[in-house]
Amino acid sequence: SPGRRGSGSARSAQARGSRVSQPPSFPAGCLCTVGILAYGIICFKKGNTRRSQLMMRARVLAQGLTIASLVGGMVATTVKSRQ
């Protein structure tokens, strides 16, 4: 039915809009953070405390960069929408 098609395209436009507001580096940053965390936990379980501590510090750095990427993307989107 025609009504259904119209609402579907509006939904897909909203989905595209929410995807555009998310910088492409954000999902990569999340995956990087999870990978570092997993490796740090593995090192901890194996008894390599020095490497585990290093990975936990790297995880904090990766989280910071991910959040900076998210905030930067939000600022860029806001600036674009104002122009």
Side-chain angles (χ1 to χ4, degrees):
S1 68
R4 225 181 210 175
R5 244 184 246 161
S7 65
S9 63
R11 256 190 232 143
S12 64
Q14 285 177 337
R16 282 190 305 256
S18 66
R19 255 191 200 165
V20 170
S21 67
Q22 208 178 56
S25 57
F26 180 72
C30 290
L31 287 174
C32 182
T33 301
V34 169
I36 291 171
L37 177 62
Y39 184 64
I41 291 171
I42 290 168
C43 289
F44 181 76
K45 284 188 175 187
K46 287 183 177 180
N48 191 347
T49 55
R50 184 171 169 84
R51 174 75 46 107
S52 174
Q53 185 65 26
L54 182 65
M55 289 299 108
M56 292 305 116
R57 290 178 183 170
R59 177 191 55 88
V60 171
L61 178 65
Q63 280 179 317
L65 292 174
T66 302
I67 290 171
S69 168
L70 178 65
V71 170
M74 290 170 55
V75 168
T77 302
T78 303
V79 169
K80 273 186 180 179
S81 68
R82 288 186 180 182
Q83 289 179 351

